[in-house]
Amino acid sequence: MKSGYEVYDHGADIGVRGWGPSLEQAFVQGATAMFSLMTEDMQSVNATAEVRIEAQGYDLESMFVAWLNSLLTEADLHGLILTEFKVQIKDNFTLSGTARGEPFAALAGGPGVEVKGATFCQTAVYEDGGTWVAQCVVDV
């Protein structure tokens, strides 16, 4: 199965879901889904700036939410829209990774929705027939 992502309606908020052949790829696609909400054209983002990300949880679901919220924090601190992600997941529900993007001010595409944070609503991380899925609802 190929990797991918989607967003879905959830009341006043929006759900994000990523999937792929590995847990890491599902986390990457989940992050891509979240940041796709923040610009009208992800393909036009020139990924010239890089930030390092560290996150930890007490299980897979909390680690996914921590990953997304760490990305949002770094994007806000540096004024970036992030579009390229790499993640390495360790045994004790910790991860490290990098994210690349460009300053919001330089965006060629129009702005999208402001994502305030990832929540535990509908959070799920699981493997199904060789495909990993990571999802949650984000507060917009």
Side-chain angles (χ1 to χ4, degrees):
M1 168 133 207
K2 292 184 178 181
S3 300
Y5 69 88
E6 65 183 349
V7 298
Y8 58 92
D9 289 332
H10 179 270
D13 295 318
I14 300 174
V16 296
R17 180 180 296 124
W19 62 87
S22 69
L23 181 59
E24 290 83 358
Q25 194 58 37
F27 274 44
V28 163
Q29 293 299 322
T32 304
M34 182 175 71
F35 279 93
S36 76
L37 296 168
M38 300 170 74
T39 180
E40 292 178 356
D41 185 9
M42 286 279 282
Q43 307 306 323
S44 70
V45 176
N46 187 12
T48 57
E50 183 174 284
V51 294
R52 296 203 47 75
I53 306 296
E54 303 287 332
Q56 184 172 8
Y58 53 85
D59 60 12
L60 292 175
E61 289 79 12
S62 63
M63 186 173 57
F64 181 61
V65 170
W67 157 247
L68 295 180
N69 283 325
S70 293
L71 288 166
L72 287 171
T73 298
E74 290 299 318
D76 188 49
L77 285 172
H78 300 285
L80 299 173
I81 178 77
L82 301 173
T83 60
E84 296 177 10
F85 309 95
K86 292 183 182 177
V87 65
Q88 180 181 18
I89 297 174
K90 301 171 185 169
D91 292 335
N92 57 349
F93 302 115
T94 62
L95 62 80
S96 60
T98 58
R100 296 176 50 83
E102 78 172 318
F104 270 108
L107 274 179
V113 177
E114 178 185 3
V115 177
K116 299 173 189 169
T119 73
F120 283 95
C121 183
Q122 293 187 349
T123 301
V125 177
Y126 59 92
E127 189 265 336
D128 182 26
T131 299
W132 280 92
V133 177
Q135 71 176 40
C136 73
V137 171
V138 295
D139 184 21
V140 295

